[in-house]
Amino acid sequence: FTELDYAEGQCKAHLMAVVDVGSRYTLGWAVGPSADRELALRCWERVRARMSRIGRSLEGTILHTDLDSVYTSYDWLRQVLLGDGLRVSYSERGAKDNPWIESLWGRMKVEIGSQIVEAQTLPELVAVIEGRFRYYNRRRRHSQIGNQPPVTCLANLLGQPELTYLMAPAT
């Protein structure tokens, strides 16, 4: 999770995202008033829907998170371990063991920080974040993946060039 100050700094929201490390593609995200299991599971439902849409199973995938109580809770673990068959990896040193997501949060706050602060309502903030992830996944070029957008990298990694057309923006 990352905390977002909006409404000129008068309100706080939390953002969770799941990113494919190999392609840098954001598979799902959710914004809400609290960094809790409900928000995490809402984000996870988007990841599941995205993977289903492209015909990919989550089974056996490694999910790396920190040791926040949300990610060690019964509801979360029941879903990802038993429901979806993932393997779980935990950061022992917090953010220092999860540099790719910390980089995403840092860059996002620098690149669209003023839009986040200027959003006056939670729905406005959600629209700002949605636009950002649409740009991030489909157009923003990343040096770590050969100066291509994440959707192109993911399509190439999966050997499915048609994915660049099938992958709808994260919503």
Side-chain angles (χ1 to χ4, degrees):
F1 296 102
T2 192
E3 189 174 275
L4 304 173
D5 292 328
Y6 70 102
E8 309 299 331
Q10 300 300 309
C11 299
K12 292 188 184 307
H14 298 271
L15 169 62
M16 179 188 167
V18 174
V19 178
D20 174 63
V21 177
S23 67
R24 303 297 195 262
Y25 192 90
T26 303
L27 295 164
W29 61 272
V31 175
S34 300
D36 56 17
R37 280 188 311 270
E38 180 183 324
L39 183 64
L41 290 169
R42 194 162 29 109
C43 175
W44 189 249
E45 283 302 315
R46 290 179 172 174
V47 172
R48 292 175 72 223
R50 170 79 35 81
M51 295 302 284
S52 176
R53 195 165 43 248
I54 64 171
R56 291 289 175 172
S57 170
L58 289 165
E59 192 167 340
T61 300
I62 298 171
L63 180 65
H64 185 71
T65 65
D66 60 30
L67 283 166
D68 187 287
S69 62
V70 168
Y71 306 121
T72 59
S73 72
Y74 175 78
D75 290 341
W76 175 260
L77 291 173
R78 182 182 61 190
Q79 181 60 58
V80 299
L81 291 173
L82 302 176
D84 296 318
L86 273 76
R87 296 168 49 201
V88 176
S89 166
Y90 289 112
S91 297
E92 293 181 11
R93 299 179 305 145
K96 293 177 182 173
D97 282 345
N98 210 347
W100 46 89
I101 199 74
E102 295 304 323
S103 175
L104 173 67
W105 297 149
R107 288 186 184 275
M108 176 180 282
K109 289 176 180 180
V110 167
E111 293 172 357
I112 64 164
S114 62
Q115 292 174 16
I116 291 170
V117 171
E118 291 169 4
Q120 294 301 307
T121 65
L122 189 57
E124 285 179 29
L125 178 62
V126 168
V128 167
I129 300 302
E130 181 176 349
R132 183 61 188 172
F133 280 125
R134 185 178 305 116
Y135 168 77
Y136 179 90
N137 280 338
R138 296 182 146 278
R139 297 185 50 216
R140 190 176 190 282
R141 298 180 182 283
H142 298 259
S143 60
Q144 295 111 343
I145 55 172
N147 290 313
Q148 59 186 339
V151 71
T152 302
C153 183
L154 182 63
N156 291 336
L157 287 172
L158 297 176
Q160 295 179 282
E162 69 277 7
L163 283 184
T164 56
Y165 301 103
L166 294 176
M167 297 293 270
T171 57

mmCIF file of all heavy atoms in Angstrom, residues 20-41:
data_model
loop_
_atom_site.group_PDB
_atom_site.id
_atom_site.type_symbol
_atom_site.label_atom_id
_atom_site.label_comp_id
_atom_site.label_asym_id
_atom_site.label_seq_id
_atom_site.Cartn_x
_atom_site.Cartn_y
_atom_site.Cartn_z
ATOM 1 N N ASP A 20 3.529 -7.188 -12.209
ATOM 2 C CA ASP A 20 4.351 -8.288 -12.710
ATOM 3 C C ASP A 20 5.779 -7.775 -12.803
ATOM 4 O O ASP A 20 6.058 -6.820 -13.537
ATOM 5 C CB ASP A 20 3.851 -8.739 -14.083
ATOM 6 C CG ASP A 20 4.762 -9.783 -14.690
ATOM 7 O OD1 ASP A 20 4.891 -10.871 -14.102
ATOM 8 O OD2 ASP A 20 5.368 -9.496 -15.748
ATOM 9 N N VAL A 21 6.674 -8.391 -12.051
ATOM 10 C CA VAL A 21 8.056 -7.900 -11.971
ATOM 11 C C VAL A 21 8.764 -7.990 -13.320
ATOM 12 O O VAL A 21 9.503 -7.096 -13.700
ATOM 13 C CB VAL A 21 8.841 -8.667 -10.888
ATOM 14 C CG1 VAL A 21 10.290 -8.220 -10.852
ATOM 15 C CG2 VAL A 21 8.200 -8.459 -9.537
ATOM 16 N N GLY A 22 8.532 -9.069 -14.063
ATOM 17 C CA GLY A 22 9.235 -9.251 -15.334
ATOM 18 C C GLY A 22 8.892 -8.222 -16.384
ATOM 19 O O GLY A 22 9.756 -7.747 -17.118
ATOM 20 N N SER A 23 7.617 -7.847 -16.467
ATOM 21 C CA SER A 23 7.174 -6.929 -17.521
ATOM 22 C C SER A 23 6.863 -5.527 -17.005
ATOM 23 O O SER A 23 6.651 -4.621 -17.790
ATOM 24 C CB SER A 23 5.916 -7.476 -18.191
ATOM 25 O OG SER A 23 4.821 -7.469 -17.294
ATOM 26 N N ARG A 24 6.787 -5.357 -15.703
ATOM 27 C CA ARG A 24 6.398 -4.105 -15.044
ATOM 28 C C ARG A 24 4.920 -3.765 -15.278
ATOM 29 O O ARG A 24 4.473 -2.665 -14.985
ATOM 30 C CB ARG A 24 7.262 -2.915 -15.474
ATOM 31 C CG ARG A 24 8.745 -3.073 -15.246
ATOM 32 C CD ARG A 24 9.049 -3.211 -13.767
ATOM 33 N NE ARG A 24 10.448 -3.017 -13.471
ATOM 34 C CZ ARG A 24 11.316 -3.991 -13.296
ATOM 35 N NH1 ARG A 24 10.937 -5.233 -13.388
ATOM 36 N NH2 ARG A 24 12.568 -3.732 -13.007
ATOM 37 N N TYR A 25 4.141 -4.706 -15.797
ATOM 38 C CA TYR A 25 2.721 -4.477 -16.052
ATOM 39 C C TYR A 25 1.954 -4.489 -14.727
ATOM 40 O O TYR A 25 2.109 -5.401 -13.924
ATOM 41 C CB TYR A 25 2.150 -5.562 -16.978
ATOM 42 C CG TYR A 25 0.785 -5.226 -17.506
ATOM 43 C CD1 TYR A 25 0.631 -4.528 -18.694
ATOM 44 C CD2 TYR A 25 -0.363 -5.588 -16.808
ATOM 45 C CE1 TYR A 25 -0.628 -4.205 -19.173
ATOM 46 C CE2 TYR A 25 -1.617 -5.265 -17.273
ATOM 47 C CZ TYR A 25 -1.742 -4.572 -18.451
ATOM 48 O OH TYR A 25 -2.993 -4.249 -18.915
ATOM 49 N N THR A 26 1.122 -3.479 -14.496
ATOM 50 C CA THR A 26 0.275 -3.432 -13.315
ATOM 51 C C THR A 26 -0.973 -4.249 -13.608
ATOM 52 O O THR A 26 -1.819 -3.845 -14.401
ATOM 53 C CB THR A 26 -0.087 -1.986 -12.943
ATOM 54 O OG1 THR A 26 1.122 -1.258 -12.745
ATOM 55 C CG2 THR A 26 -0.925 -1.932 -11.682
ATOM 56 N N LEU A 27 -1.056 -5.409 -12.975
ATOM 57 C CA LEU A 27 -2.145 -6.350 -13.238
ATOM 58 C C LEU A 27 -3.455 -5.937 -12.585
ATOM 59 O O LEU A 27 -4.528 -6.304 -13.054
ATOM 60 C CB LEU A 27 -1.754 -7.745 -12.760
ATOM 61 C CG LEU A 27 -0.587 -8.369 -13.515
ATOM 62 C CD1 LEU A 27 -0.012 -9.536 -12.744
ATOM 63 C CD2 LEU A 27 -1.038 -8.790 -14.904
ATOM 64 N N GLY A 28 -3.392 -5.205 -11.506
ATOM 65 C CA GLY A 28 -4.582 -4.741 -10.819
ATOM 66 C C GLY A 28 -4.229 -3.718 -9.770
ATOM 67 O O GLY A 28 -3.091 -3.665 -9.312
ATOM 68 N N TRP A 29 -5.205 -2.910 -9.423
ATOM 69 C CA TRP A 29 -4.999 -1.892 -8.405
ATOM 70 C C TRP A 29 -6.344 -1.539 -7.786
ATOM 71 O O TRP A 29 -7.393 -1.821 -8.366
ATOM 72 C CB TRP A 29 -4.320 -0.656 -8.980
ATOM 73 C CG TRP A 29 -5.119 0.003 -10.069
ATOM 74 C CD1 TRP A 29 -5.081 -0.294 -11.402
ATOM 75 C CD2 TRP A 29 -6.101 1.019 -9.921
ATOM 76 N NE1 TRP A 29 -5.983 0.489 -12.083
ATOM 77 C CE2 TRP A 29 -6.622 1.301 -11.196
ATOM 78 C CE3 TRP A 29 -6.601 1.717 -8.829
ATOM 79 C CZ2 TRP A 29 -7.609 2.260 -11.407
ATOM 80 C CZ3 TRP A 29 -7.585 2.672 -9.041
ATOM 81 C CH2 TRP A 29 -8.067 2.932 -10.321
ATOM 82 N N ALA A 30 -6.299 -0.924 -6.626
ATOM 83 C CA ALA A 30 -7.510 -0.445 -5.961
ATOM 84 C C ALA A 30 -7.141 0.714 -5.050
ATOM 85 O O ALA A 30 -6.055 0.739 -4.478
ATOM 86 C CB ALA A 30 -8.176 -1.562 -5.167
ATOM 87 N N VAL A 31 -8.063 1.657 -4.939
ATOM 88 C CA VAL A 31 -7.906 2.827 -4.073
ATOM 89 C C VAL A 31 -9.076 2.827 -3.096
ATOM 90 O O VAL A 31 -10.208 2.558 -3.491
ATOM 91 C CB VAL A 31 -7.933 4.137 -4.890
ATOM 92 C CG1 VAL A 31 -7.883 5.352 -3.977
ATOM 93 C CG2 VAL A 31 -6.813 4.187 -5.893
ATOM 94 N N GLY A 32 -8.784 3.144 -1.841
ATOM 95 C CA GLY A 32 -9.840 3.221 -0.844
ATOM 96 C C GLY A 32 -9.414 4.031 0.358
ATOM 97 O O GLY A 32 -8.250 4.424 0.466
ATOM 98 N N PRO A 33 -10.342 4.241 1.276
ATOM 99 C CA PRO A 33 -10.037 5.067 2.441
ATOM 100 C C PRO A 33 -9.130 4.389 3.466
ATOM 101 O O PRO A 33 -8.506 5.076 4.276
ATOM 102 C CB PRO A 33 -11.423 5.358 3.040
ATOM 103 C CG PRO A 33 -12.302 4.276 2.528
ATOM 104 C CD PRO A 33 -11.750 3.862 1.204
ATOM 105 N N SER A 34 -9.038 3.055 3.441
ATOM 106 C CA SER A 34 -8.231 2.338 4.434
ATOM 107 C C SER A 34 -7.362 1.286 3.768
ATOM 108 O O SER A 34 -7.779 0.650 2.800
ATOM 109 C CB SER A 34 -9.132 1.632 5.441
ATOM 110 O OG SER A 34 -9.946 2.551 6.114
ATOM 111 N N ALA A 35 -6.177 1.081 4.322
ATOM 112 C CA ALA A 35 -5.272 0.023 3.854
ATOM 113 C C ALA A 35 -5.656 -1.252 4.601
ATOM 114 O O ALA A 35 -5.023 -1.625 5.580
ATOM 115 C CB ALA A 35 -3.829 0.403 4.117
ATOM 116 N N ASP A 36 -6.719 -1.903 4.138
ATOM 117 C CA ASP A 36 -7.229 -3.061 4.856
ATOM 118 C C ASP A 36 -7.448 -4.247 3.917
ATOM 119 O O ASP A 36 -7.195 -4.154 2.716
ATOM 120 C CB ASP A 36 -8.524 -2.706 5.588
ATOM 121 C CG ASP A 36 -9.610 -2.149 4.671
ATOM 122 O OD1 ASP A 36 -9.525 -2.316 3.432
ATOM 123 O OD2 ASP A 36 -10.556 -1.541 5.190
ATOM 124 N N ARG A 37 -7.919 -5.371 4.495
ATOM 125 C CA ARG A 37 -8.148 -6.588 3.707
ATOM 126 C C ARG A 37 -9.147 -6.359 2.583
ATOM 127 O O ARG A 37 -8.998 -6.899 1.497
ATOM 128 C CB ARG A 37 -8.627 -7.719 4.606
ATOM 129 C CG ARG A 37 -7.536 -8.394 5.368
ATOM 130 C CD ARG A 37 -8.053 -9.631 6.089
ATOM 131 N NE ARG A 37 -9.271 -9.405 6.848
ATOM 132 C CZ ARG A 37 -9.317 -9.030 8.119
ATOM 133 N NH1 ARG A 37 -8.205 -8.842 8.780
ATOM 134 N NH2 ARG A 37 -10.468 -8.866 8.724
ATOM 135 N N GLU A 38 -10.174 -5.577 2.853
ATOM 136 C CA GLU A 38 -11.186 -5.316 1.828
ATOM 137 C C GLU A 38 -10.551 -4.680 0.583
ATOM 138 O O GLU A 38 -10.822 -5.096 -0.538
ATOM 139 C CB GLU A 38 -12.277 -4.408 2.384
ATOM 140 C CG GLU A 38 -13.362 -4.088 1.372
ATOM 141 C CD GLU A 38 -14.397 -3.125 1.924
ATOM 142 O OE1 GLU A 38 -14.723 -3.207 3.122
ATOM 143 O OE2 GLU A 38 -14.866 -2.295 1.131
ATOM 144 N N LEU A 39 -9.705 -3.693 0.786
ATOM 145 C CA LEU A 39 -9.031 -3.042 -0.339
ATOM 146 C C LEU A 39 -8.093 -4.017 -1.036
ATOM 147 O O LEU A 39 -8.060 -4.092 -2.266
ATOM 148 C CB LEU A 39 -8.261 -1.812 0.147
ATOM 149 C CG LEU A 39 -7.563 -0.992 -0.941
ATOM 150 C CD1 LEU A 39 -8.573 -0.384 -1.897
ATOM 151 C CD2 LEU A 39 -6.707 0.090 -0.308
ATOM 152 N N ALA A 40 -7.345 -4.788 -0.258
ATOM 153 C CA ALA A 40 -6.418 -5.757 -0.841
ATOM 154 C C ALA A 40 -7.169 -6.806 -1.658
ATOM 155 O O ALA A 40 -6.761 -7.148 -2.773
ATOM 156 C CB ALA A 40 -5.598 -6.434 0.255
ATOM 157 N N LEU A 41 -8.270 -7.296 -1.139
ATOM 158 C CA LEU A 41 -9.039 -8.313 -1.869
ATOM 159 C C LEU A 41 -9.719 -7.731 -3.100
ATOM 160 O O LEU A 41 -9.852 -8.406 -4.127
ATOM 161 C CB LEU A 41 -10.043 -8.995 -0.937
ATOM 162 C CG LEU A 41 -9.397 -9.908 0.110
ATOM 163 C CD1 LEU A 41 -10.421 -10.326 1.169
ATOM 164 C CD2 LEU A 41 -8.747 -11.120 -0.535
#
